[in-house]
Amino acid sequence: MSVDGTSLLRLEKTSLREQALSALRRAITTGQLTPGTHLVETDLSDALQISRGTLREAMRQLQQEGLISMGARGRLSVRHLDAKEIRDIFNVRAALESLAARELASRADRADLVTALRHAVDEMQRWAAANLEDRIEADLRFHRTMCQLTGNETLLHQWTSLEGSIRMSIMFAGVDRAIKNMDAKRHNDIVDAIESGDGDKAAATVQDHMSGAASTLVGSA
């Protein structure tokens, strides 16, 4: 059986793209690259030791995710969110995730779903003393899992399309406020409401969760 050399090269390139994408996403999410930072191709490609073509592919993906934006003369920079955008993001999250919670609360296999969500909260607690990146990922996994468990592909797709903006919003007001929103008990309250089987209560608990998270980040801004 012959091996297509171009396929192997393509796999290697894809791997480099994914590694660059992960590194840049992590740097933006954790605040290493702060909002408004201009992204210079030559500097980044040298730092990541990848070609500028591979870097551009990664940056196009980050632009689609809402982590970077294009300004004057096509210059790319780390996206900056204002207080209104943060509230808008959390309002949309509340709509999507309250729908998810309502659906899960009505399911006949609710006990199994609750077990999966409890596991996601346990993972948040397990990473509570870890670095900020791991804590953010554990928090996102909980919310993503809640949407996945509904089996509603449209809902999950809409939530995933917001994920880049969600990542940007997490660090809006700094590490201390971000960590406050990752408190495991706040997430257990959602699971408790789903376990109760009361769809209205489950939806309202998510709404309160998102409202409180947004207020923590933007305060009275």
Side-chain angles (χ1 to χ4, degrees):
M1 176 180 176
S2 62
V3 177
D4 182 353
T6 58
S7 295
L8 292 178
L9 290 173
R10 187 159 55 248
L11 285 172
E12 181 181 352
K13 183 179 179 182
T14 301
S15 177
L16 286 173
R17 173 188 173 278
E18 291 302 319
Q19 290 177 54
L21 185 58
S22 295
L24 290 169
R25 189 186 288 127
R26 178 169 61 250
I28 293 170
T29 301
T30 60
Q32 184 180 349
L33 288 173
T34 57
T37 300
H38 175 51
L39 302 174
V40 182
E41 279 189 6
T42 50
D43 293 346
L44 288 174
S45 60
D46 288 345
L48 294 168
Q49 297 185 332
I50 58 174
S51 71
R52 291 174 69 177
T54 301
L55 175 66
R56 288 191 193 107
E57 290 179 12
M59 290 174 71
R60 275 196 293 271
Q61 177 63 34
L62 292 173
Q63 194 175 359
Q64 290 174 6
E65 292 179 9
L67 291 171
I68 64 178
S69 57
M70 184 176 292
R73 293 179 293 179
R75 298 175 66 177
L76 292 171
S77 59
V78 178
R79 185 180 173 197
H80 173 76
L81 297 175
D82 60 27
K84 179 184 181 302
E85 288 174 304
I86 296 291
R87 292 193 191 95
D88 289 346
I89 289 165
F90 276 86
N91 282 338
V92 175
R93 285 189 69 185
L96 292 172
E97 296 187 34
S98 62
L99 172 60
R102 184 184 297 278
E103 288 191 11
L104 296 180
S106 68
R107 290 268 291 272
D109 59 344
R110 186 170 65 254
D112 292 336
L113 305 177
V114 165
T115 296
L117 290 171
R118 296 280 186 212
H119 175 72
V121 175
D122 289 344
E123 284 293 291
M124 291 182 67
Q125 292 175 317
R126 186 166 77 87
W127 292 107
N131 61 58
L132 180 60
E133 180 191 355
D134 289 331
R135 296 189 71 171
I136 290 172
E137 294 309 313
D139 178 87
L140 289 173
R141 271 196 302 275
F142 171 86
H143 294 279
R144 190 186 303 112
T145 296
M146 189 164 66
C147 294
Q148 286 174 328
L149 289 173
T150 65
N152 185 329
E153 292 297 327
T154 301
L155 189 158
L156 178 60
H157 174 74
Q158 293 304 316
W159 188 94
T160 302
S161 70
L162 273 179
E163 191 167 351
S165 296
I166 293 170
R167 288 176 182 276
M168 290 300 300
S169 70
I170 288 171
M171 292 299 295
F172 175 81
V175 175
D176 290 342
R177 293 194 187 187
I179 289 175
K180 185 176 180 181
N181 277 342
M182 297 177 206
D183 177 61
K185 183 186 181 305
R186 298 180 69 247
H187 294 75
N188 259 325
D189 290 344
I190 295 174
V191 185
D192 289 342
I194 292 171
E195 187 174 32
S196 75
D198 185 332
D200 289 342
K201 178 181 179 181
T205 302
V206 170
Q207 292 278 355
D208 288 345
H209 178 99
M210 293 300 168
S211 175
S215 295
T216 295
L217 293 177
V218 304
S220 57

